[in-house]
Amino acid sequence: MPTSTLQFPTFLSLKPLPPRATFPNCPTSSSSFSTPSRPQRRRLTLTPAPVAASLKENLGRLGKTWSDVTSLNSWVVRDYYRLVSSVNSFEPQLQRLTDDQLTAKTAEFRRRLGQGETLADIQAEAFAVVREAAKRKLGMRHFDVQIIGGAVLHDGSIAEMKTGEGKTLVSTLAAYLNALTGEGVHVVTVNDYLAQRDAEWMGRVHRFLGLSVGLIQSGMTADKRRCNYRCDITYTNNSELGFDYLRDNLAGNSGEQVMRSPQPFHFAIVDEVDSVLIDEGRNPLLISGEASKDAARYPVAAKVAELLVRGIHYNAELKDYAVELTEEGIALAEMALETNDLWDENDPWAGFVMNALKAKEFYKKDVQYIVRNGKALIINELTGRVEEKRRWSEGIHQAVEGKEGLKIQADSVVIAQITYQSLFKLYPKLSGMTGTAKTEEKEFLKMFQTPVIEVPTNLPNIRNDLPVQAFATAHGKWEFVRQEVEYMFRQGRPVLVGTTSVEHSEHLSDLLREHNIPHNVLNARPKYAAKEAEIVAQAGRKHAITLSTNMAGRGTDIILGGNPKMLAKEIIEDSLISSLTREAPDIDIDGEAISQKVLSKIKVGPSSLALLAKTALMAKYVCKNEGKSWTYKEAKSMISESVEMSQSKDLKELERLADEQSEIYPLGPAIALAYLSVFIDCEVHCLKEGSEVKSLGGLHVIGTSLHESRRIDNQLRGRAGRQGDPGSTRFMVSLQDEMFQKFNFDTEWAVRIISKITDDEDVPIEGDAIVRQLLSLQINAEKYFFGIRKSLVEFDEVLEVQRKHVYELRQSILTGDNESCSQHVFQYMQAVVDEIVFKNVDDRKHPRNWSLDKLLKEYMAISGKLLDDSFAEITVDALLKSLAQSNEMNSKEIDDIHLPNLPRPPNAFRGIRKKNSSLKRWLVICSDDLTKNGRYHATTNLLRKYLGDYLIASYMNVVHDSGYDDTYVKEVERAVIVKTLDCFWRDHLVNMNRLSSAVNVRSFGHRNPLEEYKIDGCRFFISMLSATRRLTVESLLQYWSSPMESQELFLS
């Protein structure tokens, strides 16, 4: 068929790729490297006709300008500028204050708050004080837009600030203001490194102003945690915060708790709030204990899974991580395992086989996990980091270990859990910072009632986002990525390539090695992760090529020309480490991580070289003559502390320390002085190289796949064009990418377009039509995951109410006085008696129709040996006769309530407090709605009171006769209540998790799974509380019947 018969729509035109692509601010002149013309690559561009394109562009600009003026966000920001003016007005007078006078402002603010002023009254002046303190201690002055960001945080909103706009500095404003109340502020980051960096860096401002600054890190002791949580401002990461909360609610006594009491939460600033509350929202925090399951089954199930073939023996749904065995699969598995039924309760194999299939299909090595030192370690899909302490639950981790032939770790059972959404809802006031949150504003509003405010950039954003390129095959995509990287490298521009997995980053690394293109890799492997800070610091330098699994939460901006602070520290380490230690780093470095042949050498001045040589000699002398020795880790730590010293002390003070300590070899001050000198040299070099990089076009970012959310893509794009710098971005996707396969998206339309245009499947297409279609698929993925998070939150809200009740009850028992502990025990005893009574009594019927025989047996069974012989002699007839007499009585003495002609309860209610307690229980019995207001409800209440009094009085007598002091008695009672509650709560969590999976099946019967979960969950919870009370009472009665025999059981 002649090619002329192929007709394109009038708005589409086919354009060949020019010999060299034109990138923003990228000149055509050659750099210091030889730059041959870019190899010709065919690209099919679907673009609107010129007139239509021009009209559309002008209308788009007009629409954007109009929306900027009329949007609610612009009006909110405009209102904040009034605060900015007020803050600026304080600046001249604060500049005249001495350091001591500026520090004294904190005490003044607290005094004013104590006199009745509010935070709003002092906000402007407090912000101005923080700005002045930051200028003096950090050399950084808050821009006006950063003042707006601080105000947004103080108002309990989410501040969306673009990458490089100084979110870390912004947090100091709201943190300082809210810390003045003395109730504590938590600044929450996504990892330990960022928490430590911010606590040391921004902590200088807070400490200068007289506030205490705490830091929570993994591996920290309970005493240190407790001390740090009591600081005015505490820096921590989200997982440590969540686990500390859960551990506090598993503590055996109040002395083991580390967070503030009674209210551990006041105000939080969450960095990368979208990552914590949205991306991590699907993964609840779990504290697990070991369960007794047969570990030998997992390797066997893994072998069976290898025999089964997808599509024949089982079907797999990647989107839901679900597998389903077919009839053929069930038959083959049963034959291989030599069992007649996979679901046999006595020999259950189904769960092991299902988990083995999930491990085979959904959990890929170097994607979801890596194997290191004989362990399967999870890779966080959002940050690309290894999470050593995290394990998959429900047997999945053991299945992965079985697949890889590793030692099977103990299976786990959940003993405490909470989602990040529920955790951060505990804060009366919550705020957050991120560069990408506007696309999720509806979700933040729905779940947290927290609006997202876009804070303007200090300088206009001139980044150029190039059109998305779509490929039919992954091979074509990776080849084009390689060519794009090579072209940029020849130009001298730094390039950041974002990949979605370790596997993809290493595949691209191999391609670049084949073409001799030097580059850095940043992924979960330890040989790369160990040099993360160094790699990111170099990523903006000329000719730097960086391949990263994910840039979210890296915490270090990519500065064009390089980061002088990190480069100076690197030079110090390279010069001094060999003098401080002979120990080699325990890191497997794969060749030379950074090609020093390509990156320009930093010229260190003569004075810096002299200081380095002097410090190296001093270090060698200390090691040799004084026998001082450091490990590699200790040497690195010492250099870091010295660098920190150089930032916290001025030059004169460092020189004074060096002179004063001349007799004991002042290694710390010497390293600090050398660092300051090298830093000046690095700053000059980076400034010059940064200007060259800007003239070439700035950082070029390449995305190799669309993520499951536009927000993640925007995080990657935001790495280019920071603080008004030039930059460009390009996304290249293939129809074989995991996202399209995972959601079974129909991509045939794109294949048909490509096949009509060209026979070469490796040729990309780009244009508005393609972008719109791809974005619509991405939006569908966002909606799907929003549905999952919404469902998780709705289900967790049921558990949240129950968790709150249990944790408040637990806390009141642990922190209450002895009297309140006794009241809990008495309430439990009365409640157990009430359950026995209502189980056998109907107040609408005559007592002769009650199950009095059964009632007496149950009551005697729970009381055991505690009751005296006189009560044991009560017969059904005697009880019935007494109830009939009491029904005929018109009045009773309020302090002498008992059934006539029956043994009186022991005289244990002596004293005002005990009589008062007894009277309160009677009033509660009379006022509750447990009875059905039948004809005999008064008789029923008398029976409840009589049996409750008898049990409680007998218990008080036996405790008194035991001879133990009151303190010991209350310790026993607390231990029994808490341990029993913990035991049943743990079982309840397991049941609720099973229920959440089971109720989904009920949707086939046209029943709402959430409503079913609420109904059954409520029933489970009531049963759990009832069982807790009963076992607590039985345990206490048993203990005091024979305290010596039971002592080890409850107090060990």
Side-chain angles (χ1 to χ4, degrees), residues 205-221:
V205 175
H206 299 307
R207 282 187 283 267
F208 172 72
L209 292 173
L211 298 182
S212 56
V213 178
L215 171 65
I216 304 296
Q217 298 272 272
S218 60
M220 192 173 276
T221 63

Side-chain angles (χ1 to χ4, degrees), residues 480-655:
F480 259 63
V481 170
R482 197 269 308 161
Q483 291 180 22
E484 186 103 321
V485 170
E486 183 175 5
Y487 175 68
M488 291 295 171
F489 172 73
R490 302 302 177 196
Q491 286 288 311
R493 289 183 65 181
V495 179
L496 171 67
V497 184
T499 62
T500 55
S501 68
V502 173
E503 183 181 38
H504 290 159
S505 66
E506 296 186 344
H507 172 68
L508 180 57
S509 178
D510 292 339
L511 287 177
L512 295 178
R513 280 200 187 97
E514 289 174 9
H515 290 78
N516 297 317
I517 301 174
H519 59 279
N520 300 322
V521 179
L522 186 54
N523 62 29
R525 293 201 187 280
K527 59 187 178 185
Y528 303 127
K531 298 179 78 71
E532 176 182 319
E534 178 184 331
I535 291 172
V536 176
Q538 303 273 39
R541 297 190 64 188
K542 199 174 178 181
H543 297 291
I545 308 296
T546 307
L547 315 182
S548 175
T549 46
N550 197 309
M551 288 305 295
R554 295 295 180 192
T556 306
D557 286 340
I558 298 177
I559 302 173
L560 299 185
N563 186 324
K565 291 182 179 179
M566 298 299 296
L567 293 175
K569 185 179 178 183
E570 182 188 338
I571 291 172
I572 293 290
E573 289 178 348
D574 290 344
S575 303
L576 300 180
I577 281 288
S578 60
S579 301
L580 291 169
T581 181
R582 295 179 182 177
E583 183 181 307
D586 187 22
I587 296 293
D588 174 25
I589 302 296
D590 184 18
E592 195 171 7
I594 296 177
S595 177
Q596 299 296 341
K597 295 178 182 178
V598 177
L599 300 182
S600 59
K601 293 287 185 181
I602 297 174
K603 294 180 180 179
V604 180
S607 59
S608 299
L609 289 172
L611 285 170
L612 286 172
K614 177 183 175 182
T615 308
L617 283 172
M618 188 184 298
K620 286 180 180 178
Y621 183 85
V622 170
C623 290
K624 184 177 180 180
N625 290 5
E626 297 190 4
K628 181 66 177 175
S629 177
W630 290 276
T631 64
Y632 181 83
K633 187 176 180 181
E634 288 171 344
K636 291 264 291 185
S637 177
M638 181 182 181
I639 291 175
S640 297
E641 289 172 3
S642 300
V643 170
E644 170 66 20
M645 182 192 298
S646 73
Q647 302 296 305
S648 59
K649 301 182 185 299
D650 57 31
L651 184 60
K652 290 182 179 179
E653 189 173 356
L654 287 174
E655 291 173 344

Side-chain angles (χ1 to χ4, degrees), residues 323-373:
V323 293
E324 181 181 16
L325 285 168
T326 62
E327 292 295 329
E328 293 85 353
I330 293 172
L332 180 57
E334 289 176 345
M335 183 176 68
L337 294 168
E338 298 180 352
T339 181
N340 295 324
D341 184 4
L342 290 177
W343 286 268
D344 184 355
E345 291 183 2
N346 298 319
D347 188 25
W349 276 103
F352 296 94
V353 174
M354 291 294 195
N355 280 343
L357 289 173
K358 289 179 181 179
K360 173 185 174 183
E361 290 293 333
F362 309 138
Y363 295 85
K364 304 293 185 184
K365 185 178 179 181
D366 293 338
V367 180
Q368 276 84 15
Y369 67 93
I370 63 170
V371 176
R372 186 201 300 170
N373 299 329

Side-chain angles (χ1 to χ4, degrees), residues 6 15 112 119 140 142 305 319 343 421 440 444 566 695 752 769 781 800 869 1048:
L6 180 60
K15 300 198 302 184
R112 288 165 61 181
L119 291 179
M140 304 166 73
H142 294 77
K319 181 177 70 172
W343 286 268
Q421 287 95 335
E440 314 293 342
F444 281 118
M566 298 299 296
S695 67
R752 287 195 296 271
E800 185 180 343
D869 294 337
E1048 290 187 6

Side-chain angles (χ1 to χ4, degrees), residues 992-1008:
M992 292 296 284
N993 285 334
R994 289 174 180 168
L995 178 63
S996 65
S997 302
V999 292
N1000 290 321
V1001 181
R1002 303 184 191 180
S1003 60
F1004 295 114
H1006 304 289
R1007 290 189 286 179
N1008 186 330

Side-chain angles (χ1 to χ4, degrees), residues 171 185-191 194-195 198 229 233-242 265 267-273 276-277 420 423-424 427 430-433:
S171 67
V185 172
H186 294 163
V187 182
V188 185
T189 65
V190 293
N191 57 52
L194 291 180
D198 293 353
Y229 273 120
I233 299 172
T234 303
Y235 287 83
T236 181
N237 70 64
N238 49 302
S239 62
E240 289 295 322
L241 180 71
F265 304 112
F267 173 59
I269 301 172
V270 184
D271 193 13
E272 303 295 349
V273 65
V276 174
L277 297 183
Y420 281 122
L423 174 68
F424 285 102
Y427 285 93
L430 177 68
S431 65
M433 311 178 290

